Every structure is written in structure tokens, then in C-alpha cells.
């Protein structure tokens, strides 16, 4: 059975099939839309340094025929034959693209797909619809790329600028129209002129094309016509020269969106965020000095303190672009009246230039380009990403298998690497990035969302009668980096005293130096009576001054 990929999914080709002689089919269409489907053979820098590896209708194969354009067949709008073991060593990626020829945009396309067939059997398919796109006119559908071994990735990202932007992204050049320039005859041995794809009466069984006949709804074969202007004007960089850097595209592989620059008066420091609307300023936890912030929250302002001019508004109550709200006007009300831009202004992405940024209470962004270290995140927690990000799924190792065997819920992690920004969330839980600087913290395993791979971590087992599964598993994080903790609601941080107890279902985290003791109160009934909390299992914490626990207002 073919594996169904979604955008961003990747896998080794050897995990999909043992063959290297593959059939690639693309199905794409829409009312009144015409598409050009091509394959770019790119070098190690993802540049088209050799124009002979731009395979399209006017150049249907590469020099050694490792990439061949076959034409419409078996229900596919366009198809290719790819022989991976014949691809030359200087080609590191094969990118399959679709560009609009004429008016329209990708949001108008109907259901389509890119699929890989080996030995007559479909092994992987990435399906898409126009709902995944907006104003793009060129999209990269899927890639074969060489990273130790050949791999396949479902891409599904594109460019508003169409073929011109696509060519520039791959290091090509588009020449301006010159009406007076005479057409030069083709020299002997140059790239052939227009030639239709090779006519294939039946699928070639030796490389595993699909065995079904082409259905009637396949894209019609276009009538002979002059070659479109865009492919004729493509001018790759000269042989042996360094390809020009690609023009940055606002759609993918870009820096985070800037909602509004924060203009500060020189010499001033932005004040901390105020307490939420309708709540008094937060007081420091019991037993801690006033300057220590609460867990996962910014310090509260000093009562009566007036923010300096130019200070940014707190999250959810943005001032107009680059300006503080005027006196007497609510901060959440944008100036300049209504409109779409004003309505969405408060939800814009928050740029900080830091590695970890809380976009709101339930969404966090990590910038993989800052620090260059990969991130380990709970599998399925990625809600969006920008840039060239590689997601590698992995288990949590031996410790992860222990958690899985004992509780029935193995913590599966995905490794996020590359250059870009990844947005993480999990079931609308409150998220709290905690930065460690050589210290340590214990976090209940089910409350861990993500953490820097640079952190050292291990699983600790707390055994006790009455605990579901027979034990409570926590993860000890140490070193330098950030761990993102999830809670249901706003947590509270309490200092550890000789009489500090917490429900095992409500505990979230505690300082690594704290001692944990299981306090079981096993009764025939769970009904509370005077002197009994009604909870079957409590955890007692002991430790020197400075230790703490984190509890959420919710029982798992």
C-alpha cells in the first residue's frame, strides 16, 4: 500500500522501495488553467549550474537519460522516468515543479498529487488541493534529494512570481525581451529545439510505470504550438562560473514576518509586560524575593510606574504601527478606522530576534537559524513552519521505551533541523519556555513539548502504590538551552518547605535538587473526611531553601 505524505514529510527512498528505476507522475489541473511541469537537476548548493538538467517539454531528457519526460499517461498530467543510480555525482536534488502558463493562480487548482511508482506499484503519494495555496503561480511539488542516501520529500510550496521567480530561486537568469535581436541558428550538438515527449504506447514495465491505461479525464495533449516565451528566455549561468545567489522569495525560506518594529527612545529600556486585563499586578510567590518572576510569566510592573515613551504594547493589545496608543484611547483599538489590516494587526507574528518566542500563551516559535542547534519536539506538535526545515522522526531511545511500556504512552519525538522557523502547539495547552543556564529542572514527561538538543536529559522513575501504571515518569533536563513546558491553565510556583505536598496528577515540574517522597493514603473509598484530602496519592517534596515546585490548576 502506498504511503500517504503530507506537506513536509520526508523518507529515505530505500524505506519506500528497493528499486532505483522509478516512475514519477504528477496530476494537476483546474478550470481554464494550463500548466508546465518540469524537473530541475540541482547541485549541492541547490542551484541549476548546468542547464542540461532542466528537463521540460522543450528538453525532454538529461544527457545520460537519468531523467526523462514521458508525457501524459495512466491518469497523470505529466510523468517522468528517474533512474537514481545513473544521476551524476554533481546533481544532489531533483525538484519537480508546476508553473501556470497564462492567467490564474494555484488556489484555483482542483485535487492533485505527485506520486512515485516502483515496479508497477505505487509506493508514495503526496495529495494536495488549491486550499493549500493562495496567489502562487509556481509550486515545488516534491523533491528527490541526496543526503547520504537518496530521499523523497513532499514540498508543496511556491512563488507568486511564477516561472521567473522559480528560475531565480534556482540561480537562473531571465533575459529581457529584445525585439531587434536576430535569432541565432542552433550550433551542432546544442540543446535540441521543441520536441514532443517520446510517445509511449504502453507503460514501460522495466522501470515500473503504472499498469493501468490512461483514463479519459487525463489532461489533453496540447496541439503543436510555438514554444512559450518563458522557457526560451531562460539563460543559465555560464559553464564553470559561480551561479548568482537566488533572489529572496517572500513565500518560503524567508526570515520571520515583521509585524511592526519597536521604536524606543534612545537610552530607554522597554518595561516588562503588565498583568492581564482585569487582574491586579502579580505578587511574588511565597518565600521568594520580589524580583524573581513567576514561572512562565514576565515580571509584573511596579504599582504606579509609568512606562517610558515608545514602550511596546503588551501581547494582545498592540498599539498602532510603530506608535504607542494615544491618551484616552484603548490600546486594542487601532487608529485609522476598521478594515482587514486593522482587524488582524493584533495577531501578527511577534519578531524578537531570539531563538524561542512565545507568539501567545498557546503557541511558541523556535528559530532554527539562531544558534544552529536542532530541536527535539513532541511528534505532531508542529502547526506551521517557514524555511528549509528537515523533520526526522525518532523515538526517545531506551528511556522512551521505558515510559511507553510502563504507561502505555510512549513519548515519540521529532528532530527539527535546518534553517527556518517552526511553530509548535499542543491541544491549546499553555506553553512556558524555560531557559536553563547550567542548572537543572525535572518535568513530568507528559508536560514536555520541546527542548534544545543541546540539553542533557534522562528519564527518572518515581514508584509508589496507587500511582497509575505503578510509577510516575519525569524528565531531568540539565545544561544550557531551553525546554518548553505545557500546562492546563496558569500554573503556580511554590517554594519547597518541610510540609509541601502536591497531587501526583497536578504536579508539572520541580527543581532538580528537590527530594520526592510518595505519600500514599489508600482508603476503601475516595470520599474525603476531616484530615484527608480525598486524593489517593500525594507527593511530598523536601529540599534546601531555593527549591520549588510547579503545579497546574488541573488534574490529568
Amino acid at each position: 500500500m502506498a504511503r500517504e505524505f503530507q506537506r513536509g514529510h520526508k523518507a529515505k527512498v530505500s524505506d519506500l522501495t528497493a528499486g532505483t528505476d522509478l516512475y514519477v507522475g504528477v496530476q494537476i489541473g483546474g478550470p481554464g488553467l494550463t500548466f508546465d511541469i518540469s524537473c530541475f537537476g540541482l547541485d549541492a548548493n541547490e542551484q541549476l549550474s548546468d542547464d542540461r538538467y532542466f528537463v521540460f517539454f522543450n528538453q525532454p531528457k538529461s544527457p545520460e537519460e537519468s531523467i526523462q519526460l514521458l508525457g501524459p499517461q495512466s491518469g497523470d498530467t505529466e510523468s517522468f522516468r528517474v533512474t537514481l543510480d545513473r544521476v551524476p555525482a554533481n546533481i544532489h536534488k531533483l525538484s519537480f515543479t508546476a508553473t501556470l502558463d497564462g492567467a490564474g493562480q494555484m488556489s484555483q487548482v482542483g485535487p492533485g498529487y505527485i506520486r512515485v511508482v516502483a515496479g508497477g506499484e505505487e509506493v508514495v503519494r503526496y495529495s494536495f488541493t488549491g486550499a493549500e495555496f493562495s496567489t502562487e503561480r509556481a509550486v515545488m511539488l516534491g523533491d528527490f534529494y541526496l543526503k547520504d542516501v537518496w530521499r523523497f520529500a513532499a514540498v508543496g510550496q511556491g512563488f507568486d512570481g511564477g516561472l521567473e521567480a522559480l528560475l531565480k530561486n534556482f540561480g537562473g537568469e531571465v533575459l529581457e525581451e529584445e525585439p531587434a535581436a536576430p535569432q541565432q541558428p542552433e550550433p551542432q550538438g546544442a540543446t535540441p529545439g521543441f520536441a514532443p515527449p517520446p510517445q509511449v504506447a504502453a507503460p514501460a514495465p522495466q522501470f515500473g510505470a503504472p499498469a493501468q491505461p490512461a483514463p479519459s479525464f487525463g489532461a489533453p495533449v496540447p496541439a503543436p504550438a510555438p514554444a512559450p516565451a518563458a522557457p526560451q528566455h531562460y539563460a543559465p549561468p555560464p559553464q564553470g562560473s559561480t551561479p548568482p545567489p537566488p533572489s529572496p522569495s517572500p513565500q518560503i525560506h524567508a526570515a520571520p514576518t515583521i509585524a511592526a518594529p519597536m521604536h524606543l527612545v534612545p537610552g530607554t529600556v522597554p518595561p516588562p509586560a503588565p498583568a492581564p486585563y482585569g487582574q491586579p499586578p502579580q505578587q511574588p510567590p511565597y518565600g521568594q524575593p520580589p524580583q524573581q518572576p513567576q514561572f512562565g510569566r514576565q515580571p509584573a510592573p511596579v504599582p504606579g510606574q509609568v512606562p517610558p515613551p515608545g514602550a511596546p504594547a503588551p501581547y494582545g493589545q498592540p498599539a498602532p504601527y510603530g506608535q504607542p496608543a494615544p491618551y484616552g484611547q484603548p490600546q486594542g483599538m487601532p487608529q485609522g478606522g476598521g478594515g482587514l489590516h486593522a482587524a488582524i494587526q493584533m495577531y501578527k507574528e511577534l519578531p524578537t530576534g531570539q531563538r524561542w518566542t512565545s507568539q501567545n500563551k498557546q503557541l511558541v516559535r523556535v528559530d532554527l537559524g539562531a544558534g544552529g542547534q536542532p530541536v527535539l519536539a513532541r511528534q505532531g506538535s508542529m502547526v506551521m513552519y517557514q524555511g528549509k526545515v528537515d523533520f526526522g522522526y525518532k523515538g526517545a531511545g531506551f528511556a522512551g521505551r521505558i515510559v511507553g511500556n510502563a504507561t502505555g504512552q510512549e513519548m515519540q519525538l521529532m528532530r527539527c533541523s535546518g534553517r527556518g522557523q517552526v511553530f509548535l502547539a499542543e491541544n491549546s495547552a499553555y506553553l512556558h519556555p524555560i531557559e536553563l543556564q547550567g542548572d537543572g529542572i525535572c518535568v513530568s514527561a507528559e508536560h514536555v513539548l520541546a527542548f534544545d538538543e543541546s540539553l542533557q536529559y534522562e528519564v527518572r522513575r518515581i514508584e509508589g502504590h496507587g500511582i497509575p501504571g505503578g510509577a510516575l515518569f519525569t524528565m531531568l533536563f540539565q545544561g544550557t538551552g531551553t525546554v518548553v513546558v505545557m500546562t492546563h491553565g496558569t500554573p503556580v510556583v511554590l517554594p519547597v518547605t518541610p510540609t509541601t505536598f502536591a497531587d501526583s496528577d497536578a504536579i508539572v515540574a520541580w527543581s532538580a535538587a528537590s527530594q520526592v517522597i510518595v505519600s500514599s493514603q489508600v482508603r476503601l473509598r475516595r470520599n474525603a473526611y476531616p484530615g484527608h484530602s480525598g486524593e489517593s496519592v500525594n507527593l511530598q517534596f523536601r529540599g534546601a531553601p531555593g527549591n520549588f515546585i510547579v503545579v497546574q490548576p488541573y488534574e490529568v
Side-chain angles (χ1 to χ4, degrees):
M1 180 180 294
R3 292 177 58 178
E4 289 286 345
F5 273 18
Q6 296 180 356
R7 179 189 295 181
H9 283 186
K10 303 177 182 182
K12 296 179 180 179
V13 173
S14 59
D15 292 340
L16 303 174
T17 176
T20 58
D21 203 355
L22 307 175
Y23 171 97
V24 178
V26 176
Q27 208 285 325
I28 187 171
L33 302 180
T34 304
F35 293 89
D36 293 328
I37 302 172
S38 312
C39 177
F40 290 82
L42 309 176
D43 59 20
N45 296 319
E46 299 189 5
Q47 301 294 291
L48 184 66
S49 55
D50 190 341
D51 65 309
R52 298 177 301 170
Y53 289 90
F54 176 29
V55 177
F56 63 113
F57 67 90
N58 207 29
Q59 186 169 258
K61 61 184 178 180
S62 61
E64 71 293 323
E65 299 186 356
S66 62
I67 313 166
Q68 300 179 42
L69 185 71
L70 303 180
Q73 60 175 304
S74 302
D76 298 329
T77 309
E78 191 60 88
S79 61
F80 299 82
R81 179 183 181 181
V82 176
T83 312
L84 293 177
D85 54 3
R86 296 179 60 184
V87 175
N90 62 309
I91 301 298
H92 288 245
K93 176 179 284 190
L94 305 178
S95 182
F96 296 88
T97 67
T99 58
L100 276 165
D101 183 11
Q105 56 190 22
M106 289 298 174
S107 60
Q108 299 173 276
V109 304
Y113 60 78
I114 180 173
R115 61 173 177 162
V116 178
V117 178
E121 179 181 357
E122 184 175 321
V123 296
V124 65
R125 175 186 291 237
Y126 161 48
S127 302
F128 56 84
T129 65
E132 298 183 27
F133 309 109
S134 56
T135 58
E136 297 94 332
R137 290 181 45 79
V139 293
M140 299 179 294
L141 300 175
D143 294 339
F144 286 109
Y145 66 100
L146 188 61
K147 187 178 179 182
D148 300 330
V149 295
W150 282 104
R151 304 166 189 255
F152 178 76
V155 182
Q157 300 188 44
F159 303 84
D160 288 352
L163 179 62
E164 179 178 355
L166 185 65
L167 290 172
K168 289 184 177 180
N169 180 68
F170 292 144
E173 298 177 356
V174 180
L175 299 181
E176 296 294 335
E177 194 79 42
E178 295 184 6
Q183 185 174 0
Q184 299 292 334
E186 288 188 357
Q188 185 69 23
T191 301
F194 174 79
Q199 299 296 326
V200 181
Q206 60 271 19
F207 67 93
Q212 307 95 302
S216 58
F217 61 83
V221 180
Q232 291 176 349
H233 294 162
Y234 165 71
Q239 294 293 331
S241 64
T242 302
S247 175
S249 169
Q251 297 298 318
I252 61 170
H253 311 333
T257 306
I258 301 300
M262 297 189 298
H263 298 287
L264 299 177
V265 177
T268 62
V269 178
Y277 176 80
Q279 298 183 13
Q282 299 296 321
Q283 297 299 324
Y286 171 77
Q288 296 189 11
Q291 66 271 16
Q292 180 174 349
Q294 291 197 12
F295 174 81
R297 306 182 65 139
Q298 297 295 328
V302 178
Q305 178 181 0
V306 179
Y315 172 80
Q317 300 178 356
Y321 183 88
Q323 302 178 10
Y327 176 77
Q329 178 178 344
Q331 284 188 323
M333 181 184 300
Q335 290 183 344
L340 176 61
H341 180 75
I344 66 174
Q345 182 69 23
M346 68 176 63
Y347 306 113
K348 288 291 187 69
E349 180 183 356
L350 299 181
T352 64
Q354 300 177 0
R355 178 169 171 83
W356 293 89
T357 302
S358 294
Q359 297 297 302
N360 54 50
K361 294 181 179 180
Q362 298 157 312
L363 183 66
V364 67
R365 184 193 75 201
V366 55
D367 188 348
L368 298 178
Q373 289 288 339
V375 167
L376 296 179
R378 185 178 293 268
Q379 184 172 332
S381 63
M382 185 276 292
V383 297
M384 191 191 79
Y385 73 92
Q386 302 177 116
K388 298 182 179 180
V389 181
D390 186 8
F391 296 94
Y393 294 93
K394 56 180 288 187
F398 178 72
R401 290 193 292 272
I402 293 179
V403 175
N405 294 335
T407 66
Q409 296 181 348
E410 179 179 354
M411 181 180 178
Q412 296 185 357
L413 301 174
M414 61 180 181
R415 185 175 185 268
C416 311
S417 59
R419 298 190 64 85
Q421 301 83 36
V422 181
F423 293 76
L424 303 172
E426 183 77 7
N427 296 330
S428 297
Y430 282 28
L431 305 181
H432 313 274
I434 304 175
E435 183 179 359
L436 302 180
Q437 297 181 352
D439 41 7
I441 187 173
C442 290
V443 185
S444 177
E446 59 191 2
H447 293 288
V448 177
L449 177 70
F451 53 93
D452 286 322
E453 193 179 46
S454 58
L455 288 174
Q456 300 176 2
Y457 65 97
E458 62 178 270
V459 175
R460 286 186 172 182
R461 177 187 178 100
I462 302 175
E463 298 181 354
H465 296 290
I467 297 180
L472 175 67
F473 288 88
T474 65
M475 298 185 69
L476 170 63
F477 295 94
Q478 293 178 315
T480 301
T482 298
V483 55
V484 181
V485 178
M486 302 183 295
T487 65
H488 291 273
T490 303
V492 61
V493 179
L494 297 173
V496 172
T497 69
T499 57
T500 300
F501 295 81
D503 180 12
S504 61
D505 290 332
I507 190 70
V508 175
W510 58 88
S511 52
S514 298
Q515 180 184 3
V516 185
I517 302 173
V518 177
S519 175
S520 299
Q521 297 178 345
V522 181
R523 304 293 177 183
L524 295 178
R525 295 184 302 172
R526 190 176 171 86
N527 297 334
Y529 62 88
H532 178 38
S533 67
E535 307 294 343
S536 60
V537 178
N538 290 328
L539 300 179
Q540 182 179 7
F541 294 86
R542 295 178 180 176
N547 288 284
F548 62 89
I549 64 172
V550 182
V551 181
Q552 65 181 2
Y554 181 88
E555 290 190 3
V556 179

